[in-house]
Amino acid sequence: MFLCADTLGIYNGAILSAVREARMGIPRSTSNLENTERKRVKTRLKKLILKRPPLQALQEKGLIKDQVFGCSLEMLCERERSTVPRFVRLCTEAVERRGLETDGIYRVSGNLAVIQKLRFLVNHERAVTTDGRYMFPAELVQEEKLNLDESEWEDIHVITGALKLFFRELPEPLVPYGFFTDIVETVNYMDKIDRLKCLVLNMPPPNHDTLQFMCRHLKRVLENSETNRMTTQNIGIVFGPTLMRPERDNGNMAVNMVYQNQAVELILTEFDHIFGTRGLS
């Protein structure tokens, strides 16, 4: 997250003013006076820094906006005027162009330093103020120029790692907290598919549509399982805890993880029914 341009301008102006005021009337020929000047400047700067409002306060007042990573799904989709985040689309498109046959796709970890570099770049490009302006000059913003096919992102595991990181950093997971218990418990019911369909249909549009988009993509990954060696169970293990988690740790982490994995497997196996237009069976 970054302070908006207006806020940064206020701080920078105040700092420059402090420097000018501290230097006025102080002869530079005397080393003792120069030391005194430096101390005065440091003191003034320290006071200014300490007086800065915390990031949370600026966020609550609406002076800054969340970016991409760590932004709520609803806010991000509203800002992009879509129900599926642009970054999710870019990553899955890159995987489908050149990664579907990669051994261990989504299971193998990418270089963390490069993943963080991509994360940093995406957040910089998308940083905006509350009135929709970019926090950086237009020439420094390359929102539409992010090309995941460039050599810098050649390792497809970097892209899949960044996509998983995006979902893990959502303030509330893709499967909202209020749906977690009901969804993981569906695996124990006889009418599990119909129950799961009802739950998914009642999710907020960004959650429903992004879940549908991701699962459709993961179905394409599974169609190439003979070469990428990713089975439905493998995908469930990777994406169970990535797409859903309980709001509070109730001490049943291992049990929850089993059900999370099975729930993702069930959604993938029964994708056409759960996201289809036909009604309950």
Short mmCIF file of all heavy atoms in Angstrom, two decimals, residues 239-278:
data_model
loop_
_atom_site.label_atom_id
_atom_site.label_comp_id
_atom_site.label_asym_id
_atom_site.label_seq_id
_atom_site.Cartn_x
_atom_site.Cartn_y
_atom_site.Cartn_z
N PHE A 239 -5.29 -26.68 -3.41
CA PHE A 239 -6.24 -25.57 -3.39
C PHE A 239 -7.25 -25.62 -2.24
O PHE A 239 -7.95 -24.63 -2.02
CB PHE A 239 -6.96 -25.47 -4.74
CG PHE A 239 -6.15 -24.78 -5.78
CD1 PHE A 239 -5.36 -25.51 -6.66
CD2 PHE A 239 -6.15 -23.41 -5.89
CE1 PHE A 239 -4.58 -24.88 -7.62
CE2 PHE A 239 -5.38 -22.75 -6.83
CZ PHE A 239 -4.60 -23.49 -7.71
N GLY A 240 -7.33 -26.74 -1.53
CA GLY A 240 -8.23 -26.78 -0.38
C GLY A 240 -7.96 -25.65 0.59
O GLY A 240 -8.81 -24.78 0.84
N PRO A 241 -6.75 -25.60 1.16
CA PRO A 241 -6.43 -24.52 2.11
C PRO A 241 -6.18 -23.17 1.45
O PRO A 241 -6.14 -22.14 2.13
CB PRO A 241 -5.15 -25.03 2.79
CG PRO A 241 -4.53 -25.96 1.80
CD PRO A 241 -5.68 -26.60 1.07
N THR A 242 -6.02 -23.15 0.12
CA THR A 242 -5.78 -21.90 -0.59
C THR A 242 -7.08 -21.14 -0.82
O THR A 242 -7.12 -19.91 -0.73
CB THR A 242 -5.09 -22.16 -1.95
OG1 THR A 242 -3.83 -22.79 -1.71
CG2 THR A 242 -4.87 -20.87 -2.72
N LEU A 243 -8.16 -21.86 -1.10
CA LEU A 243 -9.43 -21.23 -1.44
C LEU A 243 -10.38 -21.10 -0.25
O LEU A 243 -11.33 -20.32 -0.31
CB LEU A 243 -10.12 -22.00 -2.57
CG LEU A 243 -9.33 -22.14 -3.87
CD1 LEU A 243 -10.16 -22.89 -4.90
CD2 LEU A 243 -8.90 -20.78 -4.41
N MET A 244 -10.15 -21.87 0.80
CA MET A 244 -11.06 -21.80 1.95
C MET A 244 -10.31 -22.08 3.24
O MET A 244 -9.35 -22.85 3.26
CB MET A 244 -12.23 -22.77 1.77
CG MET A 244 -11.84 -24.22 1.71
SD MET A 244 -13.26 -25.32 1.41
CE MET A 244 -13.47 -25.14 -0.36
N ARG A 245 -10.75 -21.45 4.30
CA ARG A 245 -10.18 -21.67 5.62
C ARG A 245 -11.16 -21.16 6.67
O ARG A 245 -11.96 -20.26 6.40
CB ARG A 245 -8.83 -20.95 5.77
CG ARG A 245 -8.90 -19.44 5.64
CD ARG A 245 -7.53 -18.79 5.79
NE ARG A 245 -7.60 -17.33 5.73
CZ ARG A 245 -7.55 -16.63 4.61
NH1 ARG A 245 -7.41 -17.26 3.46
NH2 ARG A 245 -7.63 -15.30 4.64
N PRO A 246 -11.12 -21.71 7.88
CA PRO A 246 -12.03 -21.23 8.94
C PRO A 246 -11.59 -19.86 9.43
O PRO A 246 -10.41 -19.50 9.35
CB PRO A 246 -11.90 -22.29 10.02
CG PRO A 246 -10.52 -22.86 9.83
CD PRO A 246 -10.28 -22.83 8.34
N GLU A 247 -12.54 -19.10 9.93
CA GLU A 247 -12.21 -17.76 10.44
C GLU A 247 -11.34 -17.85 11.68
O GLU A 247 -10.46 -17.04 11.90
CB GLU A 247 -13.49 -16.99 10.73
CG GLU A 247 -13.24 -15.55 11.13
CD GLU A 247 -14.53 -14.74 11.20
OE1 GLU A 247 -15.62 -15.35 11.10
OE2 GLU A 247 -14.45 -13.50 11.34
N ARG A 248 -11.61 -18.87 12.50
CA ARG A 248 -10.82 -19.05 13.73
C ARG A 248 -10.34 -20.49 13.80
O ARG A 248 -11.04 -21.41 13.41
CB ARG A 248 -11.67 -18.73 14.97
CG ARG A 248 -12.09 -17.27 15.04
CD ARG A 248 -12.97 -17.02 16.27
NE ARG A 248 -13.41 -15.63 16.32
CZ ARG A 248 -14.45 -15.17 15.66
NH1 ARG A 248 -15.16 -15.98 14.89
NH2 ARG A 248 -14.80 -13.89 15.76
N ASP A 249 -9.15 -20.66 14.33
CA ASP A 249 -8.59 -21.99 14.50
C ASP A 249 -9.27 -22.65 15.69
O ASP A 249 -9.11 -22.23 16.83
CB ASP A 249 -7.07 -21.91 14.73
CG ASP A 249 -6.45 -23.28 14.89
OD1 ASP A 249 -7.12 -24.28 14.56
OD2 ASP A 249 -5.29 -23.35 15.35
N ASN A 250 -10.04 -23.69 15.41
CA ASN A 250 -10.76 -24.38 16.49
C ASN A 250 -10.04 -25.63 16.97
O ASN A 250 -10.62 -26.46 17.69
CB ASN A 250 -12.18 -24.73 16.05
CG ASN A 250 -12.18 -25.57 14.78
OD1 ASN A 250 -11.14 -26.06 14.34
ND2 ASN A 250 -13.36 -25.74 14.19
N GLY A 251 -8.79 -25.77 16.57
CA GLY A 251 -8.02 -26.92 17.01
C GLY A 251 -8.18 -28.15 16.14
O GLY A 251 -7.60 -29.19 16.42
N ASN A 252 -9.01 -28.05 15.10
CA ASN A 252 -9.24 -29.19 14.20
C ASN A 252 -8.61 -28.96 12.84
O ASN A 252 -9.20 -29.27 11.81
CB ASN A 252 -10.74 -29.43 14.04
CG ASN A 252 -11.40 -29.84 15.34
OD1 ASN A 252 -10.79 -30.54 16.14
ND2 ASN A 252 -12.63 -29.41 15.55
N MET A 253 -7.42 -28.37 12.83
CA MET A 253 -6.78 -28.00 11.57
C MET A 253 -6.62 -29.20 10.64
O MET A 253 -6.94 -29.11 9.44
CB MET A 253 -5.42 -27.37 11.84
CG MET A 253 -4.72 -26.89 10.57
SD MET A 253 -3.11 -26.14 10.91
CE MET A 253 -3.62 -24.71 11.87
N ALA A 254 -6.16 -30.32 11.16
CA ALA A 254 -5.92 -31.50 10.33
C ALA A 254 -7.23 -32.03 9.75
O ALA A 254 -7.30 -32.38 8.57
CB ALA A 254 -5.22 -32.58 11.14
N VAL A 255 -8.27 -32.07 10.59
CA VAL A 255 -9.57 -32.55 10.13
C VAL A 255 -10.14 -31.60 9.08
O VAL A 255 -10.66 -32.03 8.04
CB VAL A 255 -10.55 -32.68 11.32
CG1 VAL A 255 -11.94 -33.07 10.83
CG2 VAL A 255 -10.03 -33.71 12.31
N ASN A 256 -10.06 -30.29 9.37
CA ASN A 256 -10.57 -29.30 8.43
C ASN A 256 -9.88 -29.41 7.08
O ASN A 256 -10.51 -29.30 6.03
CB ASN A 256 -10.37 -27.89 8.98
CG ASN A 256 -11.38 -27.54 10.05
OD1 ASN A 256 -12.45 -28.12 10.13
ND2 ASN A 256 -11.03 -26.59 10.91
N MET A 257 -8.57 -29.64 7.12
CA MET A 257 -7.81 -29.70 5.87
C MET A 257 -8.27 -30.87 5.01
O MET A 257 -8.38 -30.74 3.79
CB MET A 257 -6.32 -29.80 6.17
CG MET A 257 -5.44 -29.62 4.94
SD MET A 257 -3.71 -29.40 5.35
CE MET A 257 -3.77 -27.82 6.20
N VAL A 258 -8.57 -31.98 5.64
CA VAL A 258 -9.05 -33.14 4.89
C VAL A 258 -10.36 -32.80 4.19
O VAL A 258 -10.55 -33.08 3.01
CB VAL A 258 -9.26 -34.35 5.83
CG1 VAL A 258 -9.98 -35.48 5.10
CG2 VAL A 258 -7.92 -34.85 6.35
N TYR A 259 -11.28 -32.17 4.93
CA TYR A 259 -12.57 -31.80 4.37
C TYR A 259 -12.44 -30.69 3.31
O TYR A 259 -13.17 -30.67 2.32
CB TYR A 259 -13.53 -31.37 5.47
CG TYR A 259 -14.02 -32.50 6.33
CD1 TYR A 259 -14.20 -32.36 7.70
CD2 TYR A 259 -14.32 -33.74 5.77
CE1 TYR A 259 -14.64 -33.40 8.49
CE2 TYR A 259 -14.77 -34.80 6.55
CZ TYR A 259 -14.93 -34.63 7.91
OH TYR A 259 -15.38 -35.67 8.67
N GLN A 260 -11.52 -29.74 3.54
CA GLN A 260 -11.28 -28.69 2.55
C GLN A 260 -10.85 -29.31 1.23
O GLN A 260 -11.35 -28.94 0.16
CB GLN A 260 -10.19 -27.73 3.05
CG GLN A 260 -10.62 -26.82 4.18
CD GLN A 260 -9.44 -26.17 4.87
OE1 GLN A 260 -9.36 -26.14 6.09
NE2 GLN A 260 -8.50 -25.65 4.11
N ASN A 261 -9.91 -30.23 1.31
CA ASN A 261 -9.41 -30.89 0.11
C ASN A 261 -10.53 -31.65 -0.60
O ASN A 261 -10.67 -31.58 -1.83
CB ASN A 261 -8.28 -31.85 0.45
CG ASN A 261 -7.11 -31.16 1.13
OD1 ASN A 261 -7.06 -29.92 1.19
ND2 ASN A 261 -6.18 -31.93 1.65
N GLN A 262 -11.33 -32.37 0.19
CA GLN A 262 -12.40 -33.17 -0.40
C GLN A 262 -13.48 -32.28 -1.02
O GLN A 262 -14.07 -32.64 -2.04
CB GLN A 262 -13.01 -34.09 0.67
CG GLN A 262 -12.08 -35.20 1.11
CD GLN A 262 -12.69 -36.09 2.18
OE1 GLN A 262 -13.78 -35.81 2.70
NE2 GLN A 262 -12.00 -37.16 2.53
N ALA A 263 -13.72 -31.14 -0.41
CA ALA A 263 -14.72 -30.21 -0.95
C ALA A 263 -14.28 -29.70 -2.32
O ALA A 263 -15.09 -29.61 -3.25
CB ALA A 263 -14.94 -29.06 0.01
N VAL A 264 -13.00 -29.34 -2.45
CA VAL A 264 -12.48 -28.88 -3.74
C VAL A 264 -12.56 -30.01 -4.77
O VAL A 264 -12.95 -29.79 -5.93
CB VAL A 264 -11.04 -28.36 -3.60
CG1 VAL A 264 -10.42 -28.12 -4.98
CG2 VAL A 264 -11.01 -27.08 -2.77
N GLU A 265 -12.21 -31.22 -4.36
CA GLU A 265 -12.30 -32.37 -5.27
C GLU A 265 -13.74 -32.56 -5.75
O GLU A 265 -13.98 -32.82 -6.94
CB GLU A 265 -11.83 -33.64 -4.56
CG GLU A 265 -10.33 -33.69 -4.26
CD GLU A 265 -9.94 -34.96 -3.54
OE1 GLU A 265 -10.39 -36.05 -3.99
OE2 GLU A 265 -9.23 -34.88 -2.52
N LEU A 266 -14.68 -32.42 -4.83
CA LEU A 266 -16.09 -32.60 -5.17
C LEU A 266 -16.57 -31.54 -6.15
O LEU A 266 -17.29 -31.83 -7.12
CB LEU A 266 -16.95 -32.57 -3.90
CG LEU A 266 -18.45 -32.83 -4.07
CD1 LEU A 266 -18.68 -34.21 -4.67
CD2 LEU A 266 -19.16 -32.71 -2.72
N ILE A 267 -16.15 -30.30 -5.93
CA ILE A 267 -16.54 -29.21 -6.84
C ILE A 267 -15.99 -29.48 -8.24
O ILE A 267 -16.68 -29.26 -9.24
CB ILE A 267 -16.02 -27.86 -6.32
CG1 ILE A 267 -16.75 -27.49 -5.01
CG2 ILE A 267 -16.24 -26.77 -7.35
CD1 ILE A 267 -16.21 -26.24 -4.34
N LEU A 268 -14.75 -29.94 -8.32
CA LEU A 268 -14.15 -30.22 -9.62
C LEU A 268 -14.83 -31.40 -10.31
O LEU A 268 -15.12 -31.37 -11.52
CB LEU A 268 -12.66 -30.49 -9.47
CG LEU A 268 -11.79 -29.30 -9.04
CD1 LEU A 268 -10.36 -29.75 -8.78
CD2 LEU A 268 -11.82 -28.20 -10.11
N THR A 269 -15.10 -32.45 -9.55
CA THR A 269 -15.71 -33.65 -10.11
C THR A 269 -17.13 -33.38 -10.60
O THR A 269 -17.55 -33.88 -11.64
CB THR A 269 -15.73 -34.78 -9.06
OG1 THR A 269 -14.40 -35.03 -8.60
CG2 THR A 269 -16.31 -36.06 -9.64
N GLU A 270 -17.87 -32.56 -9.83
CA GLU A 270 -19.27 -32.27 -10.16
C GLU A 270 -19.43 -30.84 -10.69
O GLU A 270 -20.47 -30.22 -10.50
CB GLU A 270 -20.14 -32.49 -8.92
CG GLU A 270 -20.08 -33.88 -8.35
CD GLU A 270 -20.64 -34.93 -9.32
OE1 GLU A 270 -21.45 -34.55 -10.19
OE2 GLU A 270 -20.25 -36.11 -9.20
N PHE A 271 -18.42 -30.35 -11.36
CA PHE A 271 -18.43 -28.96 -11.82
C PHE A 271 -19.67 -28.63 -12.66
O PHE A 271 -20.33 -27.60 -12.44
CB PHE A 271 -17.16 -28.69 -12.64
CG PHE A 271 -17.09 -27.31 -13.22
CD1 PHE A 271 -16.56 -26.25 -12.50
CD2 PHE A 271 -17.58 -27.05 -14.51
CE1 PHE A 271 -16.49 -24.97 -13.03
CE2 PHE A 271 -17.52 -25.77 -15.05
CZ PHE A 271 -16.98 -24.73 -14.30
N ASP A 272 -19.99 -29.46 -13.63
CA ASP A 272 -21.10 -29.17 -14.53
C ASP A 272 -22.43 -29.07 -13.79
O ASP A 272 -23.28 -28.25 -14.14
CB ASP A 272 -21.20 -30.25 -15.62
CG ASP A 272 -20.02 -30.20 -16.58
OD1 ASP A 272 -19.41 -29.12 -16.69
OD2 ASP A 272 -19.70 -31.23 -17.19
N HIS A 273 -22.61 -29.90 -12.78
CA HIS A 273 -23.86 -29.85 -12.01
C HIS A 273 -23.88 -28.64 -11.09
O HIS A 273 -24.87 -27.91 -11.02
CB HIS A 273 -24.03 -31.13 -11.18
CG HIS A 273 -25.31 -31.17 -10.41
ND1 HIS A 273 -26.41 -31.87 -10.84
CD2 HIS A 273 -25.69 -30.57 -9.25
CE1 HIS A 273 -27.40 -31.70 -9.97
NE2 HIS A 273 -26.98 -30.93 -8.99
N ILE A 274 -22.78 -28.41 -10.37
CA ILE A 274 -22.75 -27.35 -9.38
C ILE A 274 -22.85 -25.97 -10.02
O ILE A 274 -23.55 -25.09 -9.52
CB ILE A 274 -21.46 -27.46 -8.52
CG1 ILE A 274 -21.53 -28.71 -7.66
CG2 ILE A 274 -21.28 -26.21 -7.65
CD1 ILE A 274 -20.24 -29.05 -6.94
N PHE A 275 -22.20 -25.77 -11.15
CA PHE A 275 -22.22 -24.46 -11.80
C PHE A 275 -23.13 -24.45 -13.04
O PHE A 275 -23.19 -23.44 -13.73
CB PHE A 275 -20.80 -24.05 -12.21
CG PHE A 275 -19.91 -23.75 -11.05
CD1 PHE A 275 -18.96 -24.66 -10.64
CD2 PHE A 275 -20.04 -22.54 -10.35
CE1 PHE A 275 -18.12 -24.38 -9.56
CE2 PHE A 275 -19.21 -22.27 -9.27
CZ PHE A 275 -18.25 -23.18 -8.86
N GLY A 276 -23.80 -25.56 -13.28
CA GLY A 276 -24.69 -25.62 -14.45
C GLY A 276 -25.96 -24.83 -14.24
O GLY A 276 -26.29 -24.41 -13.14
N THR A 277 -26.69 -24.65 -15.32
CA THR A 277 -27.93 -23.89 -15.26
C THR A 277 -29.11 -24.73 -14.81
O THR A 277 -30.14 -24.21 -14.40
CB THR A 277 -28.26 -23.29 -16.64
OG1 THR A 277 -28.29 -24.34 -17.60
CG2 THR A 277 -27.21 -22.28 -17.06
N ARG A 278 -28.96 -26.06 -14.86
CA ARG A 278 -30.09 -26.90 -14.48
C ARG A 278 -30.28 -26.87 -12.97
O ARG A 278 -29.35 -26.60 -12.20
CB ARG A 278 -29.88 -28.35 -14.96
CG ARG A 278 -28.66 -29.05 -14.41
CD ARG A 278 -28.43 -30.35 -15.19
NE ARG A 278 -27.20 -31.01 -14.79
CZ ARG A 278 -27.17 -32.04 -13.97
NH1 ARG A 278 -28.28 -32.49 -13.43
NH2 ARG A 278 -26.03 -32.63 -13.67
#
